[in-house]
């Protein structure tokens, strides 16, 4: 009799434990972690069979982004700062050379709308510093002297500056590269379903276990609203907008995306969302399209048939490529 | 046959105990499957958790960061940054967070707020590009 009751009790316990485990596996809880890196909030969501191994891979992905930030960010020891301080030639790592190479290509194809040589101009406005200001026209002209697609060239891993005072800034492309490198770390750890979001620079690995990733696109004028949703997998998404990193003076908004032709914040767009195979390409294109505006911007994508874009023009009107129309769901 | 033999060797009380235990186990498993976890607001500074509160709490609190104190309000299940010593006040314009996984932050003051726990509602989107 006692043995029978013990047997039944054991069955009951097994059933209860199995129920709880079933619940856990059905939900397939992802590892979710966030850190402040590269001047923004970076979120990583990763699905993996082994939670401990997935957590470790996510940590390694953050470390990789921190390494890229140290290499290409505004820190005193970065290669970007070293290039800016050099009078002519500088030797850089193959990774920085890779980023510069793509940046120079987009710069040339966008006729300078994407520009890696605006370091002095950005310092002048100080929008990403604690003390932004509106510089005089003379100051702006001086900061633009010698800038543009021809001001910088690359020979292997040697960077050549045309003028000694040229300030190099990889802010419009390095974050995307860091996101791609983090994705590489996760892939190498065997993770096939993950999302890395660095303040709008996003890379998606696979789909979620149950469906495609749903990506909301921020409305550039309403903080709590979205323009629409994209259903995506295995792709990068990057948005650049005039609402982030900006200050207002006399009712005018001054943001961090500069038009290299004027030295002032670009006014042809409110926001641009680009999807492309890599975040580094999407990042550079988002800035270029923002400066160029809807018509010229979307025309630039003829060089990049694998990329799609949504441009919210300066007047608030939305312009989309055909491919993106098929992926979007509007509210 | 085995079951009849088993039943013949148990008393009514044995059977009641087994049934009660079985029912309790089933109820427990069902509850585990459907019940929401407790949602809470978690604040991090420099990668360390510096404050947590149930999301349903009604309070205003300050969190220290390298630039000074950031003021956060938790009201009606929504947490939002009310004030911060940063230059651009982007954090104040980011709006509130209320569902599991949502994040708001004052990046210059190195403060990050996120909603944890609970199962969250089926959201309109997984991630926001901005």
């Amino acid at each position: 009799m006692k043995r029978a009751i013990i047997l039944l009790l054991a069955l009951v316990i097994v059933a209860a434990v199995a129920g709880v485990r079933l619940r856990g596996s059905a939900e397939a809880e992802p590892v979710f972690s966030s850190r402040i890196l590269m001047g923004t909030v970076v979120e990583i969501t990763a699905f993996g069979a082994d939670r401990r191994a997935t957590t470790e891979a996510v940590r390694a992905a953050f470390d990789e982004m921190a390494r890229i930030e140290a290499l290409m960010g505004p820190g005193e020891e970065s290669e970007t700062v070293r290039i800016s301080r050099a009078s002519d030639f500088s030797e850089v790592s193959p990774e920085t050379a890779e980023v510069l190479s793509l940046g120079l290509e987009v710069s040339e194809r966008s006729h300078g709308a994407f520009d890696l040589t605006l370091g002095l101009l950005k310092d002048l406005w100080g929008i990403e510093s604690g003390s932004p200001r509106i510089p005089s026209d003379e100051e702006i002209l001086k900061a633009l002297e010698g800038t543009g697609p021809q001001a910088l060239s690359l020979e292997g891993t040697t960077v050549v500056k045309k003028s000694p005072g040229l300030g190099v800034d990889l802010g419009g492309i390095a974050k995307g590269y860091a996101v791609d490198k983090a994705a590489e770390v996760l892939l190498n750890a065997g993770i096939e379903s993950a999302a890395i979001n660095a303040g709008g620079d996003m890379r998606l690995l696979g789909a979620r276990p149950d469906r495609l990733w749903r990506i909301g696109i921020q409305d550039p004028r309403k903080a709590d609203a979205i323009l629409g949703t994209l259903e995506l997998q295995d792709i990068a998404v990057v948005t650049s907008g005039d609402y982030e990193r900006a200050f207002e003076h006399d009712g005018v908004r001054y943001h961090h995306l500069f038009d290299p032709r004027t030295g002032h914040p670009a006014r042809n767009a409110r926001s641009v969302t680009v999807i492309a195979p890599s975040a580094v390409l999407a990042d550079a294109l988002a800035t270029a399209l923002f400066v160029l505006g809807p018509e010229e911007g979307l025309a630039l994508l003829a060089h990049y048939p694998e990329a799609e874009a949504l441009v919210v023009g300066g007047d608030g009107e939305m312009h989309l490529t055909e491919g993106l129309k098929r992926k979007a769901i509007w509210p | 046959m085995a079951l009849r033999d088993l039943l013949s060797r148990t008393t009514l009380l044995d059977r009641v105990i087994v049934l009660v235990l079985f029912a309790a186990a089933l109820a427990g498993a069902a509850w585990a499957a459907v019940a929401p976890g407790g949602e809470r607001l978690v604040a991090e500074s420099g990668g360390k958790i510096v404050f947590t509160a149930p999301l349903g709490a009604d309070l205003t609190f300050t969190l220290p960061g390298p630039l000074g104190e950031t003021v956060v309000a938790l009201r009606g299940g929504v947490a939002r940054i009310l004030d911060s010593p940063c230059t651009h006040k982007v954090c104040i314009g980011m709006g509130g967070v209320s569902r599991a996984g949502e994040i708001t932050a004052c990046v210059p003051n190195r403060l990050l707020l996120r909603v944890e726990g609970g199962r969250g509602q089926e959201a309109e989107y997984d991630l926001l590009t901005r």
Side-chain angles (χ1 to χ4, degrees), chain A residues 169-242:
Chain A
D169 178 77
L170 299 183
I173 191 167
K175 198 161 63 171
Y177 185 74
V179 167
D180 286 334
K181 295 295 280 184
E184 242 178 69
V185 169
L186 295 179
L187 272 174
N188 290 339
I191 292 169
E192 294 172 347
S193 173
I196 303 150
N197 183 12
D201 284 28
M202 203 177 287
R203 176 80 185 267
L204 308 173
L205 295 181
R208 285 175 57 100
D210 51 343
R211 56 172 167 75
L212 298 176
W213 292 98
R214 291 184 193 135
I215 309 302
I217 304 170
Q218 175 74 51
D219 185 318
R221 289 294 177 268
K222 294 176 193 158
D224 291 328
I226 58 166
L227 293 174
T229 313
L230 299 170
E231 292 199 324
L232 302 168
Q233 63 178 336
D234 265 328
I235 204 148
V237 189
V238 172
T239 295
S240 287
D242 65 3

Side-chain angles (χ1 to χ4, degrees), chain B residues 48-64:
Chain B
K48 290 180 182 161
I49 293 174
V50 293
F51 181 87
T52 66
L55 197 64
D58 188 347
L59 54 102
T60 301
F61 55 95
T62 58
L63 296 168

